[in-house]
């Protein structure tokens, strides 16, 4: 009977040890599963953060490109406006000069007596021949002064 009791106690002890070992093994498996889950979650978080960082960098680069494009367009617009303003100033100056020239012509026409066609023709001949030409021609004509005294005076 003692032997049976001892065997039963040994068997119970062995069963308890087996249960404890199995419990420890289950706990170890739970801990390993929890650790694996934690590592997978960390990896997912790391990958998500990397993707977010990548998207943020792409957005930053796109914003930089857009800002550079906006600055280029603004500079082109500024230069275009400056060019337009300079063109307006040149046109205004050209019109002012034309107006001044027109005003001077009108003033000169108002001041100068109206010349007859003969007078204008005479001025053109004088310009072509010059002063020396008239004196050379008048020297070659003798005795005409008496016949045409007013013409002689005009020629000289």
């Amino acid at each position: 009977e003692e032997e049976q009791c001892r065997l039963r106690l040994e068997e119970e002890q062995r069963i308890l040890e087996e249960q404890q070992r199995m419990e420890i093994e289950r706990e170890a498996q739970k801990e390993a599963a929890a650790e694996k889950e934690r590592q997978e979650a960390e990896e997912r978080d790391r990958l998500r953060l990397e993707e977010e960082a990548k998207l943020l960098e792409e957005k930053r680069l796109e914003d930089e490109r857009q800002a550079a494009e906006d600055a280029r367009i603004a500079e082109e617009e500024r230069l275009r406006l400056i060019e337009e303003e300079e063109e307006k100033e040149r046109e205004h100056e050209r019109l002012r000069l034309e107006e001044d020239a027109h005003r001077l012509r009108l003033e000169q026409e108002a001041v100068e007596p109206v010349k007859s066609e003969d007078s204008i023709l005479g001025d053109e001949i004088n310009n072509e021949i010059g002063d020396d030409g008239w004196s050379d021609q008048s020297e070659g004509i003798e005795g005409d002064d008496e016949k045409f005294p007013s013409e002689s005076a005009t020629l000289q």
Side-chain angles (χ1 to χ4, degrees):
E1 211 175 289
E2 239 180 75
E3 185 64 29
Q4 279 186 338
C5 196
R6 188 183 62 73
L7 286 174
R8 201 174 3 146
L9 282 177
E10 281 180 11
E11 182 63 25
E12 285 177 11
Q13 183 66 28
R14 190 185 60 75
I15 291 173
L16 279 176
E17 286 176 1
E18 183 67 26
Q19 286 175 347
Q20 285 176 347
R21 187 187 59 75
M22 288 175 66
E23 185 63 31
I24 290 171
E25 198 173 290
R26 275 194 299 264
E27 285 297 316
Q29 286 175 352
K30 282 182 187 178
E31 286 178 18
E35 179 64 20
K36 183 178 178 184
E37 180 62 33
R38 186 185 61 74
Q39 288 174 353
E40 288 173 353
E42 285 179 357
E43 182 66 14
R44 284 190 305 271
D45 287 346
R46 185 187 65 76
L47 292 173
R48 182 183 49 80
L49 289 174
E50 283 178 3
E51 186 63 25
E52 286 176 3
K54 179 182 168 188
L55 292 174
L56 286 173
E57 180 65 13
E58 287 173 1
K59 180 164 180 16
R60 185 190 67 76
L61 291 173
E62 180 58 33
D63 289 348
E64 272 183 17
R65 281 190 291 272
Q66 187 62 48
E69 179 68 13
D70 291 348
R72 184 190 63 77
I73 290 170
E75 181 64 12
E76 286 177 356
E77 181 66 13
R78 185 185 73 77
L79 293 174
R80 185 186 64 77
L81 290 174
I82 289 171
E83 181 64 31
E84 282 180 4
E85 187 61 31
E86 289 173 349
E87 183 61 33
K88 284 179 186 176
E89 288 175 8
R90 286 191 295 272
E91 181 65 16
H92 179 72
E93 183 65 16
R94 185 187 64 76
L95 291 173
R96 188 187 64 73
L97 290 173
E98 284 180 6
E99 194 176 285
D100 288 350
H102 181 70
R103 190 177 326 104
L104 282 174
R105 277 194 302 278
L106 291 177
E107 288 173 2
Q108 286 176 348
E109 288 173 3
V111 170
E112 292 179 2
V114 178
K115 294 184 175 181
S116 68
E117 264 188 55
D118 291 342
S119 176
I120 293 171
L121 185 58
D123 287 347
E124 288 176 8
I125 291 170
N126 280 336
N127 289 338
E128 286 182 26
I129 295 175
D131 292 338
D132 293 337
W134 283 113
S135 61
D136 291 347
Q137 286 184 1
S138 64
E139 288 174 5
I141 303 171
E142 300 213 4
D144 284 347
D145 290 344
E146 295 83 31
K147 293 181 192 172
F148 307 103
S150 64
E151 243 181 78
S152 178
T154 305
L155 290 176
Q156 291 175 358

